[in-house]
Amino acid sequence: MRILLIAGHGEGDPGAGGNGYLEADLTREVVKLLQPKLAEICSVEIADTNRNWFEYLYKHSYNFKDYDYFLEVHFNSGGGTGSEIFVTTSERDTGVEAAIMRQLCAAAGYRNRGVKRTNFRVISRVKSQGVSSALLEVCFIDSAADMHTYTHKKNEIIDAIVNGIAEGFGLKRNAPARHWAAIAHDKIKERGYISADVWEAYDYDIPVQHALALLDNISGGRWASEEADESIHEAQPIVISLCGKGIINEPEQWISALKANENLSKAHTLALFDNMTGGMRPAYVNRDTDHWGRNCLDSLCDKGIIKTPHAWDDDFNAATTRALFMALVCAVLGI
Ligand SMILES: [Zn+2]
């Protein structure tokens, strides 16, 4: 299902005016607001808004055949109130237009002036190519009451037009695709490695403390040590545990990062995971390169743990997002 939207007037033709508004501005606003919401139920394009299509089609032809439906937006004037929609006299079924009117008038409280038939130039040209077309007069630009409603209920009005099109064509909203990090999060949580909801803020940077706690959990759990001392920092025992397992080497550096409540850089994330998975591949040990993090990255790539290096090498000093960290956890666990 592919819809083309056209904003009425423009290219020097302001259309009607009233209450401080010009029709050409409002029609452009409406198609712009409609597009992202219609995109949830079908494919949608806005025809060039720099063009006055009424004038353009007087002299030119245009191929509308790639579309399944065409909606031209206008605002009415001349002393009335309410909404109406026009189709050409050759349109057989006006169920979609009736649905748009019903939804729009219910949401805005506009008078329903109904579905009418007039062979306006643009919708006629479109229909002559076999594509169903309609011209919507949202409300009266010269009615103070209509425009007050329009400005105060704009979102509801846009939603209602979309709902009408959805109802008329029987289109369903696509369920928003789940964030890949949400899937990673659930897998890690199901296995009991995380309980804190900090991990659900996928796009946020991960503090060292949470990162180390998760690493400790997935690498066999706490490694007992007499050196564990929560009075240094509540996460100090985690550092000692990771030291005992050989995943971190310089506990003092990590303790100071914890005390400063630092986020974990990408380079340090890579180093931790590289250590946890058998250490650096010999080819990269002491290799002279642009950043020491690249040696860890290439080592992890060689091991097949990282398959999208560009997620990591844009800036090794930048903090790691929770999403990226969890992606590595899943890769290491093979889940
Ligand atoms: Zn108009």
Side-chain angles (χ1 to χ4, degrees), residues 169-192:
F169 285 109
L171 301 170
K172 299 249 178 323
R173 277 202 165 71
N174 304 323
R178 275 195 92 204
H179 196 304
W180 56 267
I183 298 165
H185 172 267
D186 289 355
K187 286 190 207 164
I188 298 166
K189 193 172 179 180
E190 271 166 26
R191 286 161 178 79

Side-chain angles (χ1 to χ4, degrees), residues 74-124:
H74 282 257
F75 280 68
N76 223 333
S77 72
T81 59
S83 308
E84 60 195 18
I85 195 164
F86 291 88
V87 294
T88 64
T89 51
S90 54
E91 196 68 58
R92 280 213 203 120
D93 185 345
T94 58
V96 174
E97 291 74 25
I100 293 172
M101 278 298 100
R102 194 166 51 243
Q103 294 271 1
L104 171 56
C105 295
Y110 287 146
R111 187 156 83 87
N112 188 340
R113 301 167 66 93
V115 181
K116 299 180 176 178
R117 290 184 184 273
T118 303
N119 292 324
F120 289 120
R121 182 183 297 160
V122 181
I123 58 172
S124 296

Side-chain angles (χ1 to χ4, degrees), residues 124-150:
S124 296
R125 288 293 182 87
V126 176
K127 184 61 185 170
S128 73
Q129 294 181 20
V131 178
S132 284
S133 56
L135 185 157
L136 172 67
E137 299 275 9
V138 177
C139 67
F140 277 75
I141 197 169
D142 54 354
S143 156
D146 275 12
M147 286 309 295
H148 182 267
T149 302
Y150 174 75

Side-chain angles (χ1 to χ4, degrees), residues 146-157:
D146 275 12
M147 286 309 295
H148 182 267
T149 302
Y150 174 75
T151 50
H152 287 81
K153 287 193 168 176
K154 208 175 284 176
N155 286 329
E156 291 90 327
I157 285 169

Side-chain angles (χ1 to χ4, degrees), residues 107-311:
Y110 287 146
R111 187 156 83 87
N112 188 340
R113 301 167 66 93
V115 181
K116 299 180 176 178
R117 290 184 184 273
T118 303
N119 292 324
F120 289 120
R121 182 183 297 160
V122 181
I123 58 172
S124 296
R125 288 293 182 87
V126 176
K127 184 61 185 170
S128 73
Q129 294 181 20
V131 178
S132 284
S133 56
L135 185 157
L136 172 67
E137 299 275 9
V138 177
C139 67
F140 277 75
I141 197 169
D142 54 354
S143 156
D146 275 12
M147 286 309 295
H148 182 267
T149 302
Y150 174 75
T151 50
H152 287 81
K153 287 193 168 176
K154 208 175 284 176
N155 286 329
E156 291 90 327
I157 285 169
I158 297 297
D159 284 341
I161 297 169
V162 174
N163 291 341
I165 292 170
E167 184 193 324
F169 285 109
L171 301 170
K172 299 249 178 323
R173 277 202 165 71
N174 304 323
R178 275 195 92 204
H179 196 304
W180 56 267
I183 298 165
H185 172 267
D186 289 355
K187 286 190 207 164
I188 298 166
K189 193 172 179 180
E190 271 166 26
R191 286 161 178 79
Y193 293 124
I194 48 178
S195 51
D197 54 13
V198 292
W199 291 96
E200 287 171 18
Y202 311 122
D203 298 323
Y204 285 72
D205 301 335
I206 187 64
V208 167
Q209 181 165 349
H210 292 294
L212 294 186
L214 178 51
L215 274 188
D216 196 35
N217 287 345
I218 65 167
S219 57
R222 192 62 46 86
W223 193 81
S225 167
E226 281 89 60
E227 297 166 64
D229 184 356
E230 284 192 20
S231 68
I232 296 170
H233 187 281
E234 59 172 328
Q236 190 265 3
I238 297 170
V239 172
I240 299 303
S241 175
L242 287 166
C243 262
K245 291 186 271 191
I247 294 169
I248 64 179
N249 307 314
E250 296 163 41
E252 293 316 315
Q253 176 199 325
W254 290 98
I255 296 294
S256 56
L258 286 168
K259 284 182 172 166
N261 200 21
E262 280 176 19
N263 292 324
L264 187 65
S265 74
K266 288 184 177 179
H268 282 105
T269 299
L270 295 167
L272 288 168
F273 279 90
D274 198 34
N275 286 345
M276 202 177 71
T277 53
M280 188 171 286
R281 286 284 159 103
Y284 307 113
V285 176
N286 298 325
R287 179 182 59 160
D288 196 16
T289 181
D290 61 325
H291 192 288
W292 61 267
R294 188 171 301 283
N295 289 327
C296 304
L297 175 62
D298 289 347
S299 175
L300 285 162
C301 287
D302 278 9
K303 294 177 202 168
I305 292 166
I306 289 183
K307 296 192 172 70
T308 54
H310 296 307

